Amino acid sequence: MWKYDGWESDFKLGIVTPHADIGPEAEAQAMLTGTRSTVHGARVDFSPMHPGGTIDEKIAHDPVLQFISPEIIDRTVESLSSSPLDAIGLAFTSSSFKIGAEREQELLARLSGVSHGIKLNTTGTAASAAIRQLGLEKIAVMAPSWFDEELCAAGDSYFRNQGLDIISATPSGPVGGPLTIDPASTAAAVEKLVADTGAETVFIAGNGQRAIGSIDYLERHLGITVLTANQVLVWASLEGTELRSQVRGYGCLFEQG
């Protein structure tokens, strides 16, 4: 008699995202379609983004660090985790890159003190776990066009310092902001990157970089493994659940993990 209304969902995922970025929530909800899951966002002011979802041509680094400052991220996580959630994902690749894996673990340890026992993942920790789970090598990081070379170099170091096989980390994503990107332009950028580098794996970094719609095509067409920022964050959040196996059409990561 009563219709499913979402309240009794099997999985409730919290996403922390920049204030003008709808990508992480949209992509998470798309991947979870067909499961009884809901996505719940918390927004943090990020000065390089502007009303309507536009972004600066290159993002400054100070706002990247401000995003994860104690007075901002701790309060946001504490507030979001007051909800009855199963997991929280920090959908902000650039902060992972900027502070590095060791300091990121310190960040997560600090946040665990305010998260009311809800497990936390960052995009960086999720990507690293996915790479290890699948035993991936010859990895090219395709950062969005709004990352500068310094931030890409930090991304290279983020993974290399964990012993992962990174062969390239560049702002090689489609030119323009989040609103100009579509699956076709993402696929074209990945194809060029693979041709230029010989990569066997591409990690499409940047949670605001539209990407998941091209994963299935690229894996079948190029015979490579494709990871994306929001894909790995959802995958890591679903650890220990049967829901992982119910995600279909968004890469071999879910089929094998």
Side-chain angles (χ1 to χ4, degrees):
M1 178 172 67
W2 311 121
K3 297 291 187 183
Y4 169 67
D5 61 7
W7 280 79
E8 294 181 350
S9 58
D10 296 326
F11 194 84
K12 297 177 178 65
L13 174 62
I15 295 285
V16 180
T17 185
H19 71 285
D21 189 0
I22 64 169
E25 295 149 307
E27 292 199 338
Q29 194 66 70
M31 285 181 278
L32 292 169
T33 297
T35 72
R36 285 166 53 102
S37 303
T38 50
V39 179
H40 310 272
R43 320 199 81 76
V44 172
D45 284 340
F46 182 57
S47 60
M49 293 200 78
H50 310 289
T54 61
I55 195 168
D56 292 345
E57 184 176 355
K58 296 292 182 181
I59 60 174
H61 290 205
D62 285 348
V64 169
L65 292 175
Q66 185 178 19
F67 189 94
I68 54 170
S69 63
E71 62 271 19
I72 292 178
I73 198 68
D74 294 50
R75 184 172 65 249
T76 302
V77 168
E78 183 172 20
S79 175
L80 181 60
S81 64
S82 296
S83 305
L85 303 175
D86 296 291
I88 292 174
L90 305 184
F92 203 61
T93 309
S94 54
S95 64
S96 293
F97 287 2
K98 185 65 179 174
I99 65 174
E102 185 174 344
R103 287 179 60 194
E104 187 173 51
Q105 289 302 317
E106 295 172 359
L107 169 68
L108 286 171
R110 190 184 81 220
L111 292 177
S112 69
V114 298
S115 65
H116 300 97
I118 297 172
K119 66 179 180 179
L120 296 161
N121 291 285
T122 70
T123 305
T125 59
S128 300
I131 290 168
R132 293 192 186 96
Q133 175 81 9
L134 299 182
L136 300 174
E137 299 178 337
K138 298 190 69 175
I139 304 158
V141 178
M142 190 178 88
S145 64
W146 53 89
F147 281 27
D148 62 17
E149 295 289 348
E150 181 183 345
L151 194 52
C152 289
D156 182 272
S157 297
Y158 177 90
F159 292 115
R160 283 181 184 270
N161 289 345
Q162 298 179 73
L164 303 178
D165 185 22
I166 303 300
I167 62 172
S168 171
T170 56
S172 45
V175 175
L179 301 181
T180 69
I181 299 172
D182 60 20
S185 61
T186 297
V190 170
E191 289 171 336
K192 183 178 186 306
L193 183 59
V194 169
D196 290 344
T197 63
E200 296 175 0
T201 303
V202 173
F203 171 51
I204 305 176
N207 299 79
Q209 183 167 217
R210 188 174 174 183
I212 66 166
S214 62
I215 297 173
D216 186 57
Y217 166 82
L218 286 166
E219 290 194 336
R220 289 186 290 105
H221 182 64
L222 298 181
I224 63 172
T225 300
V226 176
L227 304 177
T228 84
N230 294 318
Q231 173 214 38
V232 298
L233 199 56
V234 169
W235 173 82
S237 297
L238 293 175
E239 181 181 13
T241 75
E242 296 180 358
L243 296 177
R244 269 188 178 176
S245 62
Q246 297 178 31
V247 177
R248 289 285 184 266
Y250 295 103
C252 66
L253 175 62
F254 287 103
E255 298 169 7
Q256 300 179 37

